[in-house]
Amino acid sequence: MTKHTPFALCIHGGAGVITPENLSEADKKLINADLMLALNAGEEILVIGGSAIDAVAAAVVALENSIHFNAGKGAVYTRTGKHLLEASIMDGATFKAGAVANSRRIKNPVLFAKSLLADENIVLLSGKGADKLAEETNHEMVENTYFDTNFRKEQLIEAQKISETGTYLDHTNLKMGTVGAVAIDKQGNIAAATSTGGMTNKLDGRIGDTAIIGAGTYANNKTCGVSCTGVGEYFIRATVASMVSNLMEYGDKTLEQAAEITIKEHLTQLGGEGGLIAIDNEGNVSFSFNSQGMYRGYVSEKTNEKKIYIWDNEEI
């Protein structure tokens, strides 16, 4: 008889200065609704025995299509007033991975990253080359102005008043950030995916941890899957996503211990801010962050739970 692993899915919509004082009830309701849409999109696939890869991609697409997060439609502006998008995805069963950086025209970068899993010769593509291949392979393409939103435009203007060259993690109103998903399917396979618009007022060409396998995204069936959110440079230096897995595999840590050590000790000591979501090979879910809040949620067949959080108490 084939062993059945209880499925699980966790998602995040970014970490940062999220406090009850700077988040209106109306905004919170809309954000929580979009987080639930993403959970439902991934859960629908896992319930019927679909793959973790398909589930995390579906969840991230739902978040990319929302204006409430810094990915896809809600992406921040660069210093020159453009949107440059990143995404990555990894299969913990095969170690195959796909990633894209500095895309201007791919509507759902995570789907393009997912398509690269089939290519043995490419893991990461950037810029015009990525957009060209995406168009040639029939991904949905849009003009860069598709990603324009009034909120993000105002955010850029305010950021440039403070510093023409400074970059900001969603700047003054840090309610919305990088998105990601991690899942384990009924076959016991783990996958992780992440997507972002990067940092407000970032230099054109800058690449963060979201596009870097092992930094912002990692999956290994032996241990866990991880998706990160925060100031990318620190996550790259700390190889945050893979560190969680390494602490489990070589340091004999539990998922929760590994996540806490990575964020609360290693990342914090470097001066980095942000968080991560993770699922281990037994379907346990863990969140860790050193910021004031993190949009996150999970659904678990093992515990028969579906919950969304911003701070410590359950939202939904």
Side-chain angles (χ1 to χ4, degrees):
M1 182 178 292
T2 303
K3 180 183 176 182
H4 166 65
T5 301
F7 73 79
L9 169 73
C10 58
I11 61 170
H12 70 79
V17 183
I18 308 166
T19 67
E21 293 75 26
N22 70 14
L23 181 62
S24 71
E25 283 298 318
D27 283 346
K28 184 170 73 169
K29 184 176 180 180
L30 292 170
I31 290 166
N32 285 340
D34 281 350
L35 289 170
M36 187 58 73
L37 281 175
L39 273 181
N40 290 341
E43 181 187 17
E44 288 174 3
I45 291 169
L46 295 170
V47 164
I48 61 173
S51 72
I53 281 288
D54 287 344
V56 295
V60 170
V61 164
L63 296 169
E64 287 179 337
N65 289 343
S66 168
I67 64 169
H68 295 115
F69 307 101
N70 177 19
K73 177 58 181 169
V76 298
Y77 285 82
T78 69
R79 198 166 302 174
T80 60
K82 301 296 183 182
H83 309 276
L84 297 176
L85 285 70
E86 301 176 23
S88 63
I89 192 167
M90 186 169 182
D91 183 347
T94 64
F95 289 98
K96 289 183 177 180
V100 58
N102 289 323
S103 169
R104 294 189 178 208
R105 298 185 54 236
I106 303 172
K107 181 181 179 183
N108 293 112
V110 73
L111 294 181
F112 177 67
K114 182 186 177 190
S115 71
L116 294 178
L117 295 174
D119 195 320
E120 296 286 348
N121 300 311
I122 300 172
V123 170
L124 171 62
L125 275 182
S126 179
K128 292 181 180 179
D131 287 345
K132 183 174 183 292
L133 180 60
E135 189 165 24
E136 290 173 351
T137 51
N138 299 316
H139 287 271
E140 187 170 359
M141 309 299 290
V142 294
E143 293 303 316
N144 198 248
T145 53
Y146 162 81
F147 305 107
D148 289 353
T149 57
N150 290 334
F151 172 79
R152 294 302 188 190
K153 186 66 175 179
E154 292 168 5
Q155 199 176 61
L156 177 67
I157 292 169
E158 289 302 312
Q160 291 181 339
K161 285 179 182 177
I162 298 170
S163 171
E164 291 184 0
T165 59
T167 57
Y168 303 89
L169 181 65
D170 279 347
H171 185 45
T172 53
N173 190 356
L174 308 191
K175 299 186 301 183
M176 301 173 277
T178 295
V179 306
V182 181
I184 184 168
D185 59 33
K186 291 184 177 183
Q187 291 72 48
N189 294 320
I190 297 172
T194 315
S195 182
T196 192
M199 305 279 282
T200 297
N201 203 41
K202 69 181 180 180
L203 189 67
D204 286 22
R206 178 261 189 189
I207 297 173
D209 66 300
T210 294
I212 308 299
I213 299 300
T217 303
Y218 192 73
N220 181 344
N221 275 11
K222 288 182 180 180
T223 53
C224 64
V226 180
S227 174
C228 301
T229 174
V231 182
E233 282 70 18
Y234 293 96
F235 282 74
I236 293 170
R237 293 169 189 154
T239 59
V240 167
S242 60
M243 177 171 283
V244 178
S245 174
N246 290 339
L247 284 170
M248 293 178 68
E249 186 170 4
Y250 305 113
D252 199 29
K253 303 297 183 183
T254 66
L255 177 68
E256 185 173 1
Q257 289 171 337
E260 288 289 290
I261 290 169
T262 300
I263 296 295
K264 302 292 178 63
E265 295 183 22
H266 193 52
L267 181 71
T268 300
Q269 287 170 5
L270 286 177
E273 180 187 355
L276 62 82
I277 60 173
I279 292 177
D280 68 15
N281 58 9
E282 295 182 353
N284 297 310
V285 176
S286 183
F287 307 100
S288 184
F289 55 97
N290 64 3
S291 52
Q292 288 179 275
M294 181 169 75
Y295 296 114
R296 62 204 190 275
Y298 72 93
V299 57
S300 168
E301 182 182 25
K302 185 177 182 179
T303 62
N304 193 31
E305 295 176 315
K306 183 188 288 188
K307 297 183 178 182
I308 286 175
Y309 295 86
I310 301 175
W311 302 289
D312 293 331
N313 296 323
E314 179 186 356
E315 293 291 319
I316 297 177

